Amino acid sequence: MKEIEAEALTEITNAKEELALEKIRVKYLGRKEGIVTEALRSLKNLSLEEKKRQGPQINALKAKLEKTLEIKKRDLEEGKNKKTLDIDITRPGEKIIKERKITTGHLHPLTVLENEIKDVFRSMNFSVLEGPEIESEFYNFDALNVPPDHPAREMWDTFWIKSENAKTSKEKLLLRTHTSPMQIRYMESHEPPLQIVVPGRVFRFEATDQTHEVNFYQYEGLMVGKNISLANFKYVIETFLKRIFGKDIEFRYRPSYFPFVEPGLEIAIKFRGKWLEMMGAGMVHPNVFKAVHYNPRDYRGFAFGGGLERLAMVKYNIPDIRLFYSGDTRFTNQF
Ligand code: PHE
């Protein structure tokens, strides 16, 4: 019986089509000459004891073969159906398609614009660098010709960092209120000619509203050499702004005051019919050159600084600066 069973199961497993499977069924379970059927029939010639021993074994084999044949038959039928289906095995499951839209991330609009600014200035041979967000009073104010207790300090509402043991203004720490301290840091360690642009985060201790945030971004520019003039500045800044806003804009220069430049300027552009303030700028003040041990008689330079959000708000018509930091993807997904 064991031999018959092994043989039958191998034949069933190897059967490739329904017709072959039917032949196997007849061979073992056929009513007339099936091997198992015959074995059951011949039980009647055996002693009662043998009947009791072999009967259940043969019946069990019969049931097992019937079951195996049935399963194999179903497999063969299914296989036949499958061949006629065109299945794309790379297609995600229905559940995934229905419930989970797969979306990829993207850069924040301010990052996109900052990258654009870097590209424009690199194309004019400027170096791009960054500076520390925690600064000292010296770099943020003193070296930039903003002495202690001078009313001009009021222009920048400052977050001070507790530094009780600090004695000198180099030890007194704050969150930088502008990117201008990088003018000093760079000139301290480099000789002219130089041209740099410094994007970075700055902080102001102010109430927030549509156009003010406690933290925002600036880009600082500085160019120093022997014969640098406002004409050079005009060319650089107009090239930059045209690359960002398009060729059709107009420019307006008005006098303004910042302690670290003389003369100081305010630059506005006419964009979509409106005049819009874009940045502060001017010729580097002699006292700034003195602070970095340049001889003011040897060098001239210009500096400018503008808000990154301001640029983005004008360019994309964004009404509220707080949207940039809201984390609301309905906003960021538009860029
Ligand atoms: N640092 C100035 C500000 O934050 C902007 C500025 C930079 C003005 C460089 C002139 C020259 O307001």
Side-chain angles (χ1 to χ4, degrees):
M1 279 304 145
K2 281 266 173 284
E3 267 170 41
I4 292 171
E5 179 178 336
E7 204 182 313
L9 290 177
T10 317
E11 280 176 39
I12 293 171
T13 310
N14 293 337
K16 297 257 171 338
E17 47 176 24
E18 281 173 81
L19 201 66
L21 195 65
E22 176 57 14
K23 276 187 184 153
I24 297 165
R25 193 191 66 79
V26 172
K27 180 178 171 185
Y28 291 95
L29 302 177
R31 264 158 66 38
K32 272 190 191 155
E33 285 173 342
I35 295 170
V36 179
T37 319
E38 283 299 318
L40 276 171
R41 212 170 272 150
S42 60
L43 276 174
K44 65 175 188 278
N45 307 324
L46 299 176
S47 64
L48 192 67
E49 223 168 276
E50 276 299 296
K51 261 189 215 161
K52 270 193 187 160
R53 201 175 62 81
Q54 289 190 27
Q57 282 179 14
I58 303 172
N59 271 318
L61 176 59
K62 189 184 171 206
K64 185 169 187 178
L65 293 186
E66 277 169 351
K67 183 106 192 137
T68 315
L69 281 162
E70 196 186 301
I71 292 170
K72 179 70 178 186
K73 196 173 169 189
R74 222 185 295 140
D75 284 355
L76 287 174
E77 269 168 14
E78 264 173 31
K80 216 165 60 185
N81 290 341
K82 254 185 211 145
K83 264 184 209 152
T84 64
L85 279 177
D86 208 347
I87 294 173
D88 175 5
I89 57 161
T90 63
R91 190 179 143 92
E94 284 309 316
K95 210 171 146 71
I96 291 179
I97 292 175
K98 273 205 207 97
E99 292 171 12
R100 188 148 50 88
K101 245 174 70 200
I102 298 167
T103 49
T104 49
H106 58 86
L107 296 178
H108 189 277
L110 290 179
T111 311
V112 174
L113 197 57
E114 189 184 297
N115 288 342
E116 239 176 273
I117 293 173
K118 289 179 189 172
D119 284 348
V120 175
F121 282 105
R122 281 198 190 105
S123 78
M124 290 190 277
N125 223 10
F126 278 63
S127 302
V128 176
L129 53 135
E130 289 181 14
E133 290 173 4
I134 294 177
E135 261 298 0
S136 68
E137 180 179 27
F138 175 78
Y139 286 109
N140 197 83
F141 291 124
D142 298 351
L144 285 165
N145 196 35
V146 194
D149 306 321
H150 191 283
R153 280 230 178 165
E154 310 284 304
M155 292 171 72
W156 299 276
D157 303 290
T158 310
F159 283 112
W160 292 93
I161 293 173
K162 265 191 196 153
S163 36
E164 277 141 22
N165 301 323
K167 281 179 204 82
T168 67
S169 73
K170 274 200 174 180
E171 291 166 346
K172 267 196 200 146
L173 300 179
L174 48 78
L175 296 179
R176 67 176 174 191
T177 61
H178 50 182
T179 41
S180 301
M182 274 307 284
Q183 292 185 29
I184 306 297
R185 286 185 180 273
Y186 194 78
M187 286 191 283
E188 269 185 341
S189 53
H190 296 80
E191 287 295 315
L194 56 89
Q195 39 199 15
I196 59 167
V197 67
V198 188
R201 187 203 286 229
V202 302
F203 307 83
R204 301 262 170 106
F205 182 43
E206 297 182 316
T208 57
D209 63 25
Q210 277 192 7
T211 53
H212 295 86
E213 257 291 358
V214 286
N215 118 150
F216 59 101
Y217 285 80
Q218 284 191 333
Y219 50 95
E220 187 85 11
L222 176 70
M223 184 168 188
V224 181
K226 281 209 181 305
N227 295 304
I228 302 299
S229 72
L230 274 179
N232 301 118
F233 170 67
K234 204 165 172 281
Y235 173 80
V236 167
I237 216 62
E238 291 188 6
T239 303
F240 162 61
L241 290 170
K242 277 181 186 167
R243 287 273 292 274
I244 300 292
F245 293 102
K247 284 197 165 61
D248 298 333
I249 56 173
E250 290 171 54
F251 300 89
R252 188 184 69 192
Y253 298 84
R254 294 206 291 203
S256 183
Y257 173 74
F258 300 95
F260 31 92
V261 286
E262 181 57 39
L265 307 169
E266 236 171 43
I267 294 97
I269 59 167
K270 196 171 185 181
F271 185 63
R272 296 191 188 121
K274 267 195 252 164
W275 282 109
L276 303 151
E277 282 299 338
M278 293 313 300
M279 65 180 84
M283 296 305 289
V284 177
H285 196 288
N287 287 350
V288 173
F289 283 147
K290 279 180 201 155
V292 296
H293 308 292
Y294 287 2
N295 186 342
R297 289 178 192 284
D298 294 342
Y299 298 117
R300 301 278 177 275
F302 65 76
F304 58 88
L308 185 60
E309 289 83 353
R310 174 73 177 155
L311 218 59
M313 287 168 81
V314 169
K315 180 163 178 172
Y316 302 118
N317 217 355
I318 298 166
D320 194 321
I321 191 172
R322 292 167 293 194
L323 284 166
F324 292 111
Y325 304 101
S326 64
D328 189 337
T329 50
R330 288 173 305 176
F331 171 70
T332 47
N333 281 343
Q334 296 176 68
F335 299 91

